[in-house]
Amino acid sequence: AITESYDVKVSGASDNTDYYLSIGFDNRESTIKGNGLKTYRASMNVNSKVNDYLKVGLNYKFAYQEAPTQDPGLSSAAVAPPWQPIYNSNNQYGYQEVLDTESGNWNRAKIYGQGTRDNYLASMSLNRSLFQNMRHMAQGYVELSPLEGLKIRGGISLDLTEQDRIGIRTYR
């Protein structure tokens, strides 16, 4: 499986301010067809001495992950019976169905007997699942030094996470 990773980082400082910025992207293929992970990230850190009595700073991090996943995976391929066909050129998707969909019965009959298993290639090709994760983390501070040896520091933090799972099932 191929893994790509790209990063750009910039940092610097002056007499009163230091900063750090970075952005990055990772793309990881999986050894299982249809799976993988993409990650986008960014980071920023700025600290500044405004005057002899006041310092301020901000630290922010962002990450977004996207992971397409396909069912059913290798375990379904390992238990597929050798007598069960996989492809069918007469089917609109090109795969052989494993359940009798024409009977109208809610409890569909297995076409190839009790040993019938899911058509794992059809499931991997036609059923889609996507996991998305986005996270923002930030911290800011203000530091006052009104008297020598006395520091008063206040801060605020944010941690926001959003997750979504999306699934589309074409093949059953």
Side-chain angles (χ1 to χ4, degrees):
I2 296 173
T3 298
E4 298 173 84
S5 186
Y6 306 96
D7 289 294
V8 176
K9 299 174 184 178
V10 177
S11 63
S14 68
D15 290 340
N16 295 323
T17 303
D18 63 80
Y19 63 90
Y20 172 83
L21 302 167
S22 72
I23 58 171
F25 170 73
D26 292 335
N27 185 16
R28 295 184 179 114
E29 282 186 0
S30 174
T31 55
I32 299 172
K33 178 182 175 185
N35 291 318
L37 175 65
K38 288 183 181 179
T39 303
Y40 304 86
R41 62 190 173 283
S43 178
M44 176 189 76
N45 190 6
V46 178
N47 297 294
S48 185
K49 181 179 177 184
V50 178
N51 57 40
D52 290 339
Y53 308 103
L54 178 64
K55 289 183 184 179
V56 295
L58 178 65
N59 184 357
Y60 174 75
K61 295 185 185 321
F62 168 80
Y64 173 77
Q65 294 178 316
E66 187 175 276
T69 57
Q70 303 307 326
D71 289 331
L74 295 177
S75 60
S76 293
V79 298
W83 64 84
Q84 182 177 308
I86 295 172
Y87 299 105
N88 179 353
S89 60
N90 295 324
N91 180 287
Q92 65 177 338
Y93 300 114
Y95 296 102
Q96 179 61 45
E97 292 186 18
V98 296
L99 299 175
D100 179 9
T101 58
E102 303 298 322
S103 68
N105 185 353
W106 68 271
N107 189 13
R108 298 176 181 168
K110 296 178 178 180
I111 295 174
Y112 302 102
Q114 291 304 312
T116 301
R117 297 289 183 261
D118 286 341
N119 185 333
Y120 66 94
L121 282 180
S123 292
M124 287 174 60
S125 296
L126 301 174
N127 296 339
R128 301 284 176 212
S129 179
L130 179 64
F131 173 72
Q132 296 172 320
N133 182 34
M134 186 177 346
R135 188 170 188 189
H136 301 270
M137 294 187 307
Q139 295 176 325
Y141 75 89
V142 174
E143 183 178 289
L144 295 170
S145 301
L147 302 172
E148 188 175 328
L150 175 64
K151 291 184 181 181
I152 301 169
R153 185 174 175 132
I156 188 167
S157 297
L158 167 77
D159 190 346
L160 176 65
T161 301
E162 180 182 335
Q163 294 182 345
D164 290 315
R165 291 189 187 274
I166 303 164
I168 301 170
R169 296 190 57 84
T170 304
Y171 180 82
R172 298 190 196 290

